[in-house]
Amino acid sequence: MQCLSSPTREEIDIAHSKGIWLDIGVPSIRNLRHISWQKVILWWLLVIFTTPMHLLWNSAVFSTLQANDYAVIVVAPNFLQDQGLHCPSSSEDGKYSDVICSMYAAARAESGSNINLQRLDVKDCIEHYANKMQSEWSNVLIVSNTTFPSLQKFSEPTILINSSSLQGFYATNYQSEIRWNTMAWMCSRPASIDCSRSKVLKNTAEWKILPDYLGGYLVDHCLASSTKETCKLQFSLVIITIVICSNAVKLLAMVAALKIIKTEQFITIGDAVESFLKCPDPYTIGACLATKNDLKHTFFIPQRLMVHLTTMRGTNDYWTENIVGGTILKQKHNTSQRWFEAPSKKRIIYNNILF
């Protein structure tokens, strides 16, 4: 793109004849108004079709991770001996009832159960489930020494199971006021905004879960269902197609640039120096010591450069004007110049804002 926006000697001569200066050695949008229209079109094609690559390329290939919804089932210590559990063959909300029945069957190691339960102590249970995105573990039985006379359904699903050992039920995927915080059940406060992993781990000896208006359930241990973690590496066909098409257009633009650019471009300052040494510029004769500020206030006339000097700062001018043969020459005084004075204040501000 810098090559396309770089002027040729012919384009510089035309610009100088009109009193216009051009940038050399830097990518320049300003030069686009004074170079050939073919190079301008190719420059804009590169800009337009490079943008999708910067925005979309990193999104073309992506990974998908597993996130499990799970149920928290609070049971009494004697739940394995509970003979009163009856699982209905059909219900209005078979999903949640089936979850409870399948977890009971797995805990009792009944034949036909494909759920693998692992016993976890309090600390391990917290460390495994205190994650906002759960990928390794699923439904969990919380064995608690705290009992209440009836089933407490904290996420309000319809449960058509009545058992003395079934104490509480909470589903992370149910539409409730604490749906957005899957860890809320781990603290003994409803809709626990401040329920975090570090807070729960502070009191593993007396870990209480679910609402505090009932005092909470004191956890003895957990029976957790582990799941096989799966992930995939995928790509978007639409994004890949856009990137490939953008690359194709850019390739065609670069090939066209090689065909169109026949004359030497002034890509670096050295290119300009070499050309002007071989063939001096007729429009800047006699102004070899002109400064950037002078050229910004310069009026060109055919075959001669007349420098329009602005009022110097203060009384100690570091330039002396000498008019020789109608041409304004300039003699430099011994005033030090600093590198930071080369770019304009506007350019410095734009550079700091962008980077």
Side-chain angles (χ1 to χ4, degrees), residues 64-68 70 128-137 182-183 229:
T64 55
L65 303 177
Q66 174 179 312
N68 298 331
Y70 59 91
H128 287 313
Y129 279 89
N131 298 301
K132 295 194 174 180
M133 190 178 75
Q134 184 59 257
S135 60
E136 298 181 12
W137 300 87
T182 57
M183 291 175 52
E229 187 174 7

Side-chain angles (χ1 to χ4, degrees), residues 37-110:
W37 62 269
Q38 295 98 330
K39 292 196 296 182
V40 173
I41 291 176
L42 293 177
W43 189 91
W44 277 111
L45 283 176
L46 290 178
V47 170
I48 293 171
F49 288 95
T50 298
T51 302
M53 292 189 60
H54 288 291
L55 297 178
L56 300 176
W57 178 245
N58 289 335
S59 302
V61 180
F62 58 93
S63 61
T64 55
L65 303 177
Q66 174 179 312
N68 298 331
D69 288 325
Y70 59 91
V72 179
I73 306 166
V74 183
V75 294
N78 64 339
F79 76 101
L80 291 177
Q81 291 77 37
D82 186 5
Q83 302 299 324
L85 179 68
H86 173 68
C87 294
S89 57
S90 62
S91 65
E92 296 178 1
D93 189 75
K95 178 173 68 172
Y96 297 116
S97 298
D98 290 344
V99 168
I100 295 175
C101 290
S102 62
M103 291 293 286
Y104 264 71
R108 293 172 176 175
E110 295 180 3

Side-chain angles (χ1 to χ4, degrees), residues 13 23-24 34 56 96 103 116 125 165 172 178 180 183 185 199 227 233 267 270 272 290-291 300 312 319 342:
D13 288 342
D23 290 318
I24 296 176
H34 310 292
L56 300 176
Y96 297 116
M103 291 293 286
N116 179 28
C125 189
S165 63
T172 60
I178 51 178
W180 61 271
M183 291 175 52
W185 65 271
K199 179 180 178 181
T227 60
L233 187 64
I267 300 177
T291 65
F300 289 90
M312 295 298 185
W319 292 104

Side-chain angles (χ1 to χ4, degrees), residues 70-215:
Y70 59 91
V72 179
I73 306 166
V74 183
V75 294
N78 64 339
F79 76 101
L80 291 177
Q81 291 77 37
D82 186 5
Q83 302 299 324
L85 179 68
H86 173 68
C87 294
S89 57
S90 62
S91 65
E92 296 178 1
D93 189 75
K95 178 173 68 172
Y96 297 116
S97 298
D98 290 344
V99 168
I100 295 175
C101 290
S102 62
M103 291 293 286
Y104 264 71
R108 293 172 176 175
E110 295 180 3
S111 61
S113 176
N114 58 355
I115 300 176
N116 179 28
L117 293 183
Q118 296 185 31
R119 180 187 174 99
L120 304 175
D121 60 25
V122 171
K123 185 177 180 181
D124 288 339
C125 189
I126 294 174
E127 289 181 345
H128 287 313
Y129 279 89
N131 298 301
K132 295 194 174 180
M133 190 178 75
Q134 184 59 257
S135 60
E136 298 181 12
W137 300 87
S138 183
N139 303 322
V140 58
L141 285 169
I142 302 291
V143 180
S144 172
N145 293 322
T146 306
T147 58
F148 295 104
S150 61
L151 169 65
Q152 304 298 321
K153 298 173 292 186
F154 303 108
S155 53
E156 299 302 331
T158 302
I159 303 294
L160 299 180
I161 297 178
N162 187 16
S163 171
S164 60
S165 63
L166 181 60
Q167 292 293 303
F169 183 87
Y170 169 77
T172 60
N173 63 343
Y174 191 79
Q175 294 289 348
S176 65
E177 70 276 7
I178 51 178
R179 170 180 169 83
W180 61 271
N181 186 2
T182 57
M183 291 175 52
W185 65 271
M186 304 186 75
C187 298
S188 59
R189 297 181 62 185
S192 300
I193 298 176
D194 59 344
C195 189
S196 62
R197 182 189 185 94
S198 59
K199 179 180 178 181
V200 178
L201 285 171
K202 287 181 179 178
N203 191 17
T204 57
E206 295 185 0
W207 179 31
K208 290 186 177 182
I209 63 172
L210 296 175
D212 56 358
Y213 58 83
L214 293 175

Side-chain angles (χ1 to χ4, degrees), residues 209-224:
I209 63 172
L210 296 175
D212 56 358
Y213 58 83
L214 293 175
Y217 292 97
L218 181 63
V219 180
D220 182 71
H221 64 275
C222 303
L223 294 175

